[in-house]
Amino acid sequence: MKETGYVVFEYLYRDAGNWKTHGAALLRGKVRDNSAAIRSCLEQGELFVPEQVLLPGLQRHHWHDHEDGPSDLDHAFHEFVDLRDAHDDERLALSPRGSVVQLVALFVSAQGKWDVRCSRYVD
């Protein structure tokens, strides 16, 4: 049976100074137990490297939003916030980035092997 509907994967980037930038990705599929599956794969229960699961890193937005450039406060890890049903305005504003099933498979593949070298924003 084909997945229908859309979900939003919410995540954030928090630099070492505790400044935050939020991000969201629209995915085809349903929430179901996928949130728990993602959480089980996270480093220290909340962290992941977005580029490793084909999501964009939020550092560039972070630097723009906070009028700051790369600094020693930056790193590769982002925090998972939530996986929830998409609102109508989000379905119109965001382009789908694949399916939630594909994203969960990428998280499972990266579990225990998060690699900061996947981030283009970290030396």
Side-chain angles (χ1 to χ4, degrees):
M1 186 161 140
K2 190 173 184 175
E3 293 270 352
T4 58
Y6 290 92
V7 298
V8 172
F9 178 91
E10 294 179 319
Y11 62 119
L12 69 88
Y13 175 72
R14 179 194 317 252
D15 69 17
N18 204 29
W19 293 91
K20 302 171 193 160
T21 298
H22 294 267
L26 184 68
L27 303 163
R28 289 181 302 280
K30 299 206 181 263
V31 173
R32 293 190 182 135
D33 296 328
N34 291 312
S35 184
I38 289 169
R39 284 197 190 282
S40 72
C41 299
L42 300 172
E43 184 77 20
Q44 298 175 11
E46 63 184 356
L47 303 173
F48 70 101
V49 178
E51 295 90 346
Q52 200 167 343
V53 292
L54 304 181
L55 292 172
L58 300 174
Q59 290 94 330
R60 187 171 301 281
H61 294 290
H62 184 76
W63 300 327
H64 179 266
D65 291 350
H66 298 288
E67 298 177 353
D68 191 20
S71 75
D72 59 353
L73 297 177
D74 294 309
H75 53 84
F77 283 105
H78 288 54
E79 297 175 31
F80 173 63
V81 175
D82 197 12
L83 184 68
R84 59 170 177 76
D85 292 323
H87 302 292
D88 290 339
D89 59 330
E90 292 168 320
R91 285 189 293 244
L92 295 173
L94 300 170
S95 296
R97 297 193 63 87
S99 77
V100 69
V101 171
Q102 292 166 325
L103 184 67
V104 168
L106 290 169
F107 269 87
V108 168
S109 177
Q111 183 177 7
K113 299 177 276 190
W114 294 106
D115 187 353
V116 298
R117 295 171 298 178
C118 292
S119 175
R120 70 177 85 164
Y121 303 110
V122 176
D123 292 329

